[in-house]
Amino acid sequence: MHPALQGLMTIVVGVGACVSYFYASNLFIDKVLFPPRGPNAGRNINRANLIRPWLFLFPAMFVLSVYLAYPVFETLRLSLTDRAQDGAFVGLDNYRQLVSEAKFWEAIRNNLLWLIVVPAMSTIFGLIVAQLTDRIKWGNIAKSIIFMPMAISFVGASVIWKLVYDARPPEAEQIGVLNAVYMYVTGNDPQQWLTIPLWNNFFLMAVLIWIQTGFAMVILSAALRGIPEETIEAAIIDGAGPFQIFFKIKIPQMMGTIMVVWTTITITVLKVFDIVYAMTNGQWETQVLANYMYDKLFRASDWGVGSAAAMVIMLLVTPILVWNVVNARREMR
């Protein structure tokens, strides 16, 4: 069967199954379980209204349980076992081995560096762009261009930036923009930017900042437009300048949104894998936790230590995720 036809059939079957499920659920509640008739009609209607949302949510909760909750518990189990000993329980041995490896601490150090730089720079650039494009005619065009990298996969963006950092022999024509500028300004030989320790981490971070700035800009632009004009007009009447209005009127009113953007990017940073894998594969001191976990799981086939690394990532992400959800719900109220 042609793949396009197969895909179309899958969509039709999936949508049809969802519609059938919701239709059948309604019929079961209203006709069989709690029919709205007889002496208990009022009580049955109330009970049906209580159960109906949970019945509708059941497919999503079931899928989440299978594809999210189960892998978490299975990963925890694997992190406490040793594959080389036929899955024997080894307690915290995998975690002890994890903390004894220099590559793990290199990954922790790099992840901390990413956490400090990427969320801050993405949020700051997003805020600046949102503010600058908010009042100009071609602001929407500029926003569309800046938001465009969000449509590119991390691997695609990595390929683009790898060309930017590309280096060829000095006598050959350079196709890497960075080396072309570097040679024009300094007259020195081209540099292999991705092999320079410490600095190569910043070159990798530039890719994620480039992508996430568009996300931050869209959210912060909406927050900027939600600020009551009365507060800004009152500040202007009181003699406040543009910088005072921005830092003392606008920023405090959108601080909640800024924190949501910051933490959302922080979670993305903690899970960063594709960029490092596609550009350096963790070489030249650019290892990060997700790439370290991948190396252990699929290259070294050490499921115990790999699962332990996955649990470490989950433990780092969970508090930020919970705080983000709580803060978002507070903003909605």
Side-chain angles (χ1 to χ4, degrees), residues 105-142:
W105 291 110
E106 179 190 313
I108 290 283
R109 186 200 67 195
N110 288 337
N111 266 95
L112 285 175
L113 199 59
W114 280 70
L115 283 175
I116 293 169
V117 176
V118 176
M121 297 310 295
S122 301
T123 308
I124 290 170
F125 286 146
L127 187 57
I128 291 172
V129 173
Q131 173 64 22
L132 293 179
T133 57
D134 200 37
R135 305 286 180 184
I136 55 178
K137 282 185 180 177
W138 49 275
N140 288 333
I141 297 173

Side-chain angles (χ1 to χ4, degrees), residues 93 138 157 173 204 242 314:
D93 284 359
W138 49 275
E173 188 177 356
L204 298 182
M314 195 190 76

Side-chain angles (χ1 to χ4, degrees), residues 29-30 33-50 52:
I29 292 175
D30 294 334
L33 198 58
F34 298 116
R37 57 178 178 270
N40 298 323
R43 189 175 63 182
N44 283 351
I45 291 172
N46 290 335
R47 286 179 175 175
N49 288 337
L50 284 175
R52 203 184 312 275

Side-chain angles (χ1 to χ4, degrees), residues 252-318:
Q253 292 191 67
M254 54 190 295
M255 187 52 74
T257 308
I258 291 173
M259 292 311 296
V260 169
V261 169
W262 191 299
T263 50
T264 303
I265 298 174
T266 298
I267 292 169
T268 305
V269 168
L270 279 170
K271 298 184 296 182
V272 67
F273 165 75
D274 321 52
I275 295 170
V276 176
Y277 181 79
M279 296 185 75
T280 63
N281 197 17
Q283 299 178 85
W284 307 297
E285 301 182 16
T286 58
Q287 188 67 290
V288 291
L289 279 172
N291 200 63
Y292 173 83
M293 176 195 73
Y294 178 84
D295 282 347
K296 288 294 179 185
L297 278 172
F298 300 108
R299 290 203 175 108
S301 296
D302 191 343
W303 291 1
V305 176
S307 300
M311 294 307 298
V312 170
I313 296 172
M314 195 190 76
L315 287 174
L316 292 173
V317 169
T318 302

Side-chain angles (χ1 to χ4, degrees), residues 152-175:
I152 304 173
S153 70
F154 283 3
V155 174
S158 303
V159 172
I160 293 170
W161 280 83
K162 216 170 177 180
L163 291 173
V164 173
Y165 300 141
D166 186 77
R168 297 195 168 187
E171 63 276 6
E173 188 177 356
Q174 299 299 318
I175 63 167

